[in-house]
């Protein structure tokens, strides 16, 4: 079973606290320190392979790669971008962080600002949060009702299918942390003045809706998982394991794209540069 | 039967030369000069009503109106914009003319540049050509095959349904001219140096594909007509009748939106401006 298959959600998918802690990859997952170092080394190797594959994607200039990262606050979205995609030439990769929508965004459908940012040919775009917020925070706080939420699931499926049909490979990662791990991470941020910039008091307010969020995630993932836009649930209590798993899946999937440099032009051999 | 119903395409829709000439509205359609003047007067009255309704749409700041104009070269898309929407405050209305896609456009799915330009809350946007070119000129010249074309019909239906579900009223007009009328209009452009700027030699090349275009239009209109995004086939050999019919439908449909100024705020009456 490929690593991607191993983490792809199934129809029976449920978000369970214990799954956030799982360690499944790496040389010595049980040995806390040795394991971490081995994870990091393995991830770095994969990140470099991803960087090489990105170069091929860029040269091919045909398909596109869209990576969607979702997860509770402190789940490690920023850390994933750095750890997994940090080796890529910024020319061909771009991260878009979707914050609370602005006036122009609210004046349009919720997919408007998202569609603008999808990758072009040869590009990798990483969404740090995405249109999934429009069926998560909105649903948790009852800003939209169940029917509107279901309508949006269908709209999202249509939208992603169109992207896939027009050449976009889509990989969606749910970074799954446990409630206790989030507590530890928030406390760490509060304790360290150098991490205060990452802390938003709103995070504490949202934490109170933990169970509702888990339910909203479970529903959304199940409703929008598709072969052309699969969801992977990644145990994310361990940062090094999280990066290792995601890097493994991205590398595996890019490898599967069978990227090649476009054929050389035999005429070029005859040209002289004077 | 409302005017909109009268021109809405049916499942038996066929593009017939004779239908381009039909005159159906106006006081004296048979009397060429008297009829034209009466048409223009009636259209101006409707255009003013549309302008008033636009003001309500703008004040309501909730729904959006998207008008799509499609037709062969010289069918009168520019003339429609001027004649029907010429009275509107430019603040709340915008025309977007879609020309041949540029490099950035081609690097993305064909709906990318279109989605960017859809109207926001309270706005009217008029598309002079649109994503329909991606199932018309592309199909006529075999740049896409039948299967890809059908896939795009479905993608377009999904996209427009999403727009409708998120508050956009969509009205699509096919400006139907006959081949003989196009000949006359092209000759007129060639004969008058002041109209040369409107002439593109490419138009003559495209004219050779007339029958293929009629078929492509017929197929596209039938495949993408929907209650939330209806197609109207407008006889367009007569410019004044064309404008009168379109103005009538737009006015009728905007009237049907039951636009109202938002309720006043009773607190405001107590405020003093000092």
């Amino acid at each position: 079973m490929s690593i991607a298959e191993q983490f792809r959600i199934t129809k029976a998918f449920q978000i369970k606290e214990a799954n956030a802690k799982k360690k499944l990859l790496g040389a010595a997952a049980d040995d806390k320190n040795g394991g971490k170092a081995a994870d990091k080394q393995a991830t770095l190797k994969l990140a470099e392979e991803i960087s090489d594959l990105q170069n091929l994607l860029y040269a091919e200039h045909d398909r596109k790669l869209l990576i969607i990262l979702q997860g509770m606050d402190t789940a490690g979205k920023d850390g994933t971008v750095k750890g997994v995609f940090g080796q890529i030439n910024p020319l061909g990769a771009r991260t878009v962080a979707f914050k609370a929508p602005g006036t122009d965004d609210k004046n349009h459908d919720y997919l408007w600002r998202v569609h603008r940012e999808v990758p072009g040919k040869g590009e990798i775009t990483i969404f740090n949060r995405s249109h999934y917020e429009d069926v998560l925070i909105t649903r948790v706080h009852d800003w939209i009702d169940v029917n509107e939420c279901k309508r949006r699931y269908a709209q999202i499926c249509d939208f992603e299918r169109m992207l896939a049909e027009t050449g976009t490979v889509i990989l969606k990662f749910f970074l799954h942390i446990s409630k206790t791990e989030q507590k530890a991470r928030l406390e760490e941020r509060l304790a360290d003045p150098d991490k205060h910039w990452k802390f938003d008091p709103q995070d504490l307010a949202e934490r109170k809706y933990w169970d509702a969020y888990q339910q909203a995630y479970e529903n959304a993932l199940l409703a929008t998982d598709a072969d052309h836009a699969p969801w992977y649930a990644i145990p994310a209590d361990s940062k090094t394991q999280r990066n290792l798993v995601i890097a493994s899946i991205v590398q595996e999937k890019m490898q599967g794209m069978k990227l090649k440099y476009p054929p050389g032009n035999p005429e070029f051999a005859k040209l002289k540069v004077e």
Side-chain angles (χ1 to χ4, degrees), chain A:
Chain A
M1 197 188 239
S2 75
I3 298 169
E5 281 167 29
Q6 201 176 322
F7 291 93
R8 169 88 181 269
I9 71 163
T10 63
K11 283 195 175 143
F13 174 70
Q14 282 186 307
I15 297 182
K16 284 183 192 154
E17 185 87 359
N19 287 337
K21 298 188 212 304
K22 267 193 193 155
K23 291 193 180 187
L24 296 155
L25 298 173
D30 288 334
D31 169 7
K32 203 169 181 187
N33 294 310
K36 270 192 186 178
D39 286 351
K40 281 185 186 170
Q41 214 181 341
T43 303
L44 186 63
K45 192 172 166 290
L46 288 163
E48 281 162 2
E49 286 175 38
I50 291 169
S51 167
D52 290 344
L53 288 162
Q54 180 276 327
N55 205 37
L56 285 174
L57 182 77
Y58 192 76
E60 182 198 67
H61 194 73
D62 182 25
R63 283 170 291 176
K64 308 123 180 173
L65 179 58
L66 175 60
I67 309 277
I68 296 178
L69 302 179
Q70 283 288 158
M72 300 293 289
D73 295 322
T74 78
K77 299 179 287 293
D78 291 335
T80 301
V81 173
K82 200 176 162 196
V84 178
F85 302 99
Q87 308 302 315
I88 291 185
N89 179 347
L91 252 184
R94 202 165 45 98
T95 305
V96 186
F98 289 98
K99 313 277 181 189
T103 304
D104 261 9
D105 303 323
K106 285 184 186 167
N107 278 340
H108 291 87
D109 62 273
Y110 65 97
L111 292 170
W112 181 73
R113 64 172 181 161
V114 174
H115 200 168
R116 295 168 78 116
E117 300 289 358
V118 298
K121 288 181 179 176
E123 286 180 355
I124 298 180
T125 302
I126 302 140
F127 282 180
N128 182 336
R129 301 189 186 273
S130 65
H131 44 293
Y132 284 97
E133 294 298 327
D134 296 290
V135 289
L136 292 165
I137 185 170
T138 49
R139 183 68 201 105
V140 165
H141 293 289
D142 240 337
W143 300 334
I144 60 170
D145 66 16
V146 171
N147 286 334
E148 173 60 14
C149 194
K150 285 188 181 163
R151 207 155 29 235
R152 289 188 184 185
Y153 292 156
Q155 289 162 350
I156 288 171
C157 288
D158 289 341
F159 173 61
E160 292 180 351
R161 188 178 345 96
M162 183 276 293
L163 291 180
E165 287 172 347
T166 54
T168 305
V169 171
I170 305 172
L171 302 174
K172 304 184 288 195
F173 296 98
F174 168 56
L175 311 190
H176 181 200
I177 55 165
S178 63
K179 197 174 179 186
T180 46
E181 178 66 18
Q182 190 195 50
K183 184 164 188 271
R185 293 187 186 183
L186 286 171
E187 282 170 351
E188 200 187 323
R189 285 184 186 179
L190 283 172
D192 182 353
D194 285 355
K195 291 189 173 175
H196 280 185
W197 67 275
K198 282 200 109 178
F199 182 79
D200 180 349
Q202 186 59 31
D203 295 351
L204 293 185
E206 291 303 318
R207 180 171 161 79
K208 292 188 180 141
Y209 295 92
W210 184 272
D211 292 341
Y213 268 107
Q214 304 298 301
Q215 192 57 58
Y217 262 109
E218 202 173 284
N219 296 346
L221 268 58
L222 282 168
T224 59
D225 176 68
D227 285 343
H228 59 260
W231 268 115
Y232 301 101
I234 311 298
D237 273 8
S238 157
K239 294 175 185 177
T240 60
Q241 282 279 306
R242 174 199 74 210
N243 283 357
L244 180 55
V245 174
I246 295 178
S248 301
I249 296 174
V250 171
Q251 189 270 354
E252 189 176 290
K253 286 290 174 181
M254 288 187 78
Q255 195 95 65
M257 288 172 76
K258 308 223 175 296
L259 295 156
K260 278 197 289 266
Y261 285 110
N265 185 336
E267 294 299 310
F268 282 11
K270 298 175 199 156
L271 292 178
K272 275 189 189 159
V273 183
E274 280 170 20

PDB file of all heavy atoms in Angstrom, chain A residues 112-126:
ATOM      1  N   TRP A 112     -14.543  33.143  -5.426  1.00  0.00           N
ATOM      2  CA  TRP A 112     -13.963  34.190  -6.278  1.00  0.00           C
ATOM      3  C   TRP A 112     -12.501  34.451  -5.945  1.00  0.00           C
ATOM      4  O   TRP A 112     -11.639  34.407  -6.812  1.00  0.00           O
ATOM      5  CB  TRP A 112     -14.808  35.463  -6.114  1.00  0.00           C
ATOM      6  CG  TRP A 112     -14.393  36.645  -6.914  1.00  0.00           C
ATOM      7  CD1 TRP A 112     -14.539  36.832  -8.266  1.00  0.00           C
ATOM      8  CD2 TRP A 112     -13.810  37.850  -6.410  1.00  0.00           C
ATOM      9  NE1 TRP A 112     -14.077  38.065  -8.615  1.00  0.00           N
ATOM     10  CE2 TRP A 112     -13.631  38.717  -7.507  1.00  0.00           C
ATOM     11  CE3 TRP A 112     -13.430  38.301  -5.138  1.00  0.00           C
ATOM     12  CZ2 TRP A 112     -13.081  40.003  -7.375  1.00  0.00           C
ATOM     13  CZ3 TRP A 112     -12.888  39.567  -5.008  1.00  0.00           C
ATOM     14  CH2 TRP A 112     -12.710  40.403  -6.113  1.00  0.00           C
ATOM     15  N   ARG A 113     -12.225  34.689  -4.664  1.00  0.00           N
ATOM     16  CA  ARG A 113     -10.843  35.011  -4.300  1.00  0.00           C
ATOM     17  C   ARG A 113      -9.938  33.781  -4.407  1.00  0.00           C
ATOM     18  O   ARG A 113      -8.724  33.897  -4.555  1.00  0.00           O
ATOM     19  CB  ARG A 113     -10.762  35.606  -2.892  1.00  0.00           C
ATOM     20  CG  ARG A 113     -11.181  34.669  -1.764  1.00  0.00           C
ATOM     21  CD  ARG A 113     -10.871  35.310  -0.421  1.00  0.00           C
ATOM     22  NE  ARG A 113     -11.219  34.465   0.706  1.00  0.00           N
ATOM     23  CZ  ARG A 113     -10.724  34.636   1.922  1.00  0.00           C
ATOM     24  NH1 ARG A 113      -9.859  35.604   2.168  1.00  0.00           N
ATOM     25  NH2 ARG A 113     -11.091  33.854   2.902  1.00  0.00           N
ATOM     26  N   VAL A 114     -10.540  32.609  -4.307  1.00  0.00           N
ATOM     27  CA  VAL A 114      -9.790  31.358  -4.368  1.00  0.00           C
ATOM     28  C   VAL A 114      -9.385  31.043  -5.817  1.00  0.00           C
ATOM     29  O   VAL A 114      -8.234  30.713  -6.100  1.00  0.00           O
ATOM     30  CB  VAL A 114     -10.644  30.211  -3.779  1.00  0.00           C
ATOM     31  CG1 VAL A 114      -9.967  28.867  -3.966  1.00  0.00           C
ATOM     32  CG2 VAL A 114     -10.914  30.478  -2.294  1.00  0.00           C
ATOM     33  N   HIS A 115     -10.347  31.192  -6.708  1.00  0.00           N
ATOM     34  CA  HIS A 115     -10.098  30.880  -8.121  1.00  0.00           C
ATOM     35  C   HIS A 115      -8.973  31.771  -8.688  1.00  0.00           C
ATOM     36  O   HIS A 115      -8.132  31.310  -9.451  1.00  0.00           O
ATOM     37  CB  HIS A 115     -11.394  31.074  -8.911  1.00  0.00           C
ATOM     38  CG  HIS A 115     -11.424  30.348 -10.226  1.00  0.00           C
ATOM     39  ND1 HIS A 115     -12.557  30.189 -10.973  1.00  0.00           N
ATOM     40  CD2 HIS A 115     -10.443  29.751 -10.954  1.00  0.00           C
ATOM     41  CE1 HIS A 115     -12.287  29.520 -12.083  1.00  0.00           C
ATOM     42  NE2 HIS A 115     -11.001  29.251 -12.096  1.00  0.00           N
ATOM     43  N   ARG A 116      -8.940  33.005  -8.272  1.00  0.00           N
ATOM     44  CA  ARG A 116      -7.872  33.929  -8.712  1.00  0.00           C
ATOM     45  C   ARG A 116      -6.490  33.393  -8.411  1.00  0.00           C
ATOM     46  O   ARG A 116      -5.514  33.729  -9.065  1.00  0.00           O
ATOM     47  CB  ARG A 116      -7.966  35.255  -7.946  1.00  0.00           C
ATOM     48  CG  ARG A 116      -9.183  36.050  -8.191  1.00  0.00           C
ATOM     49  CD  ARG A 116      -9.257  37.173  -7.144  1.00  0.00           C
ATOM     50  NE  ARG A 116      -8.356  38.235  -7.486  1.00  0.00           N
ATOM     51  CZ  ARG A 116      -8.749  39.463  -7.799  1.00  0.00           C
ATOM     52  NH1 ARG A 116     -10.027  39.753  -7.814  1.00  0.00           N
ATOM     53  NH2 ARG A 116      -7.881  40.388  -8.090  1.00  0.00           N
ATOM     54  N   GLU A 117      -6.374  32.625  -7.338  1.00  0.00           N
ATOM     55  CA  GLU A 117      -5.068  32.227  -6.810  1.00  0.00           C
ATOM     56  C   GLU A 117      -4.652  30.810  -7.198  1.00  0.00           C
ATOM     57  O   GLU A 117      -3.601  30.347  -6.755  1.00  0.00           O
ATOM     58  CB  GLU A 117      -5.070  32.347  -5.273  1.00  0.00           C
ATOM     59  CG  GLU A 117      -5.351  33.754  -4.754  1.00  0.00           C
ATOM     60  CD  GLU A 117      -4.205  34.735  -4.991  1.00  0.00           C
ATOM     61  OE1 GLU A 117      -3.151  34.335  -5.533  1.00  0.00           O
ATOM     62  OE2 GLU A 117      -4.378  35.909  -4.637  1.00  0.00           O
ATOM     63  N   VAL A 118      -5.461  30.124  -7.968  1.00  0.00           N
ATOM     64  CA  VAL A 118      -5.081  28.743  -8.323  1.00  0.00           C
ATOM     65  C   VAL A 118      -3.820  28.758  -9.184  1.00  0.00           C
ATOM     66  O   VAL A 118      -3.534  29.734  -9.857  1.00  0.00           O
ATOM     67  CB  VAL A 118      -6.235  27.984  -9.043  1.00  0.00           C
ATOM     68  CG1 VAL A 118      -7.444  27.867  -8.135  1.00  0.00           C
ATOM     69  CG2 VAL A 118      -6.600  28.648 -10.355  1.00  0.00           C
ATOM     70  N   PRO A 119      -3.043  27.673  -9.140  1.00  0.00           N
ATOM     71  CA  PRO A 119      -1.776  27.652  -9.883  1.00  0.00           C
ATOM     72  C   PRO A 119      -1.985  27.704 -11.393  1.00  0.00           C
ATOM     73  O   PRO A 119      -2.965  27.179 -11.907  1.00  0.00           O
ATOM     74  CB  PRO A 119      -1.148  26.314  -9.474  1.00  0.00           C
ATOM     75  CG  PRO A 119      -2.293  25.458  -9.029  1.00  0.00           C
ATOM     76  CD  PRO A 119      -3.272  26.412  -8.415  1.00  0.00           C
ATOM     77  N   GLY A 120      -1.036  28.347 -12.067  1.00  0.00           N
ATOM     78  CA  GLY A 120      -1.000  28.310 -13.529  1.00  0.00           C
ATOM     79  C   GLY A 120      -0.140  27.141 -13.979  1.00  0.00           C
ATOM     80  O   GLY A 120       0.437  26.406 -13.150  1.00  0.00           O
ATOM     81  N   LYS A 121      -0.029  26.951 -15.279  1.00  0.00           N
ATOM     82  CA  LYS A 121       0.772  25.848 -15.824  1.00  0.00           C
ATOM     83  C   LYS A 121       2.191  25.857 -15.269  1.00  0.00           C
ATOM     84  O   LYS A 121       2.845  26.899 -15.265  1.00  0.00           O
ATOM     85  CB  LYS A 121       0.839  25.950 -17.349  1.00  0.00           C
ATOM     86  CG  LYS A 121      -0.449  25.596 -18.017  1.00  0.00           C
ATOM     87  CD  LYS A 121      -0.320  25.687 -19.532  1.00  0.00           C
ATOM     88  CE  LYS A 121      -1.655  25.285 -20.170  1.00  0.00           C
ATOM     89  NZ  LYS A 121      -1.624  25.447 -21.631  1.00  0.00           N
ATOM     90  N   GLY A 122       2.643  24.697 -14.822  1.00  0.00           N
ATOM     91  CA  GLY A 122       4.015  24.583 -14.325  1.00  0.00           C
ATOM     92  C   GLY A 122       4.210  25.062 -12.904  1.00  0.00           C
ATOM     93  O   GLY A 122       5.318  25.011 -12.378  1.00  0.00           O
ATOM     94  N   GLU A 123       3.121  25.528 -12.267  1.00  0.00           N
ATOM     95  CA  GLU A 123       3.249  26.101 -10.922  1.00  0.00           C
ATOM     96  C   GLU A 123       2.752  25.157  -9.817  1.00  0.00           C
ATOM     97  O   GLU A 123       1.847  24.356 -10.031  1.00  0.00           O
ATOM     98  CB  GLU A 123       2.427  27.390 -10.809  1.00  0.00           C
ATOM     99  CG  GLU A 123       3.028  28.575 -11.515  1.00  0.00           C
ATOM    100  CD  GLU A 123       2.160  29.817 -11.370  1.00  0.00           C
ATOM    101  OE1 GLU A 123       1.035  29.723 -10.803  1.00  0.00           O
ATOM    102  OE2 GLU A 123       2.582  30.876 -11.825  1.00  0.00           O
ATOM    103  N   ILE A 124       3.346  25.339  -8.643  1.00  0.00           N
ATOM    104  CA  ILE A 124       2.813  24.724  -7.431  1.00  0.00           C
ATOM    105  C   ILE A 124       2.251  25.849  -6.574  1.00  0.00           C
ATOM    106  O   ILE A 124       2.951  26.838  -6.332  1.00  0.00           O
ATOM    107  CB  ILE A 124       3.910  23.997  -6.630  1.00  0.00           C
ATOM    108  CG1 ILE A 124       4.520  22.863  -7.457  1.00  0.00           C
ATOM    109  CG2 ILE A 124       3.350  23.452  -5.313  1.00  0.00           C
ATOM    110  CD1 ILE A 124       5.626  22.106  -6.726  1.00  0.00           C
ATOM    111  N   THR A 125       1.019  25.741  -6.154  1.00  0.00           N
ATOM    112  CA  THR A 125       0.478  26.722  -5.217  1.00  0.00           C
ATOM    113  C   THR A 125       0.037  25.988  -3.966  1.00  0.00           C
ATOM    114  O   THR A 125      -0.603  24.929  -4.043  1.00  0.00           O
ATOM    115  CB  THR A 125      -0.690  27.518  -5.824  1.00  0.00           C
ATOM    116  OG1 THR A 125      -0.229  28.172  -7.006  1.00  0.00           O
ATOM    117  CG2 THR A 125      -1.204  28.571  -4.854  1.00  0.00           C
ATOM    118  N   ILE A 126       0.433  26.541  -2.831  1.00  0.00           N
ATOM    119  CA  ILE A 126       0.067  25.949  -1.551  1.00  0.00           C
ATOM    120  C   ILE A 126      -0.934  26.884  -0.875  1.00  0.00           C
ATOM    121  O   ILE A 126      -0.631  28.049  -0.630  1.00  0.00           O
ATOM    122  CB  ILE A 126       1.316  25.766  -0.665  1.00  0.00           C
ATOM    123  CG1 ILE A 126       2.327  24.878  -1.401  1.00  0.00           C
ATOM    124  CG2 ILE A 126       0.936  25.190   0.696  1.00  0.00           C
ATOM    125  CD1 ILE A 126       3.751  25.349  -1.233  1.00  0.00           C
TER     126      ILE A 126
END
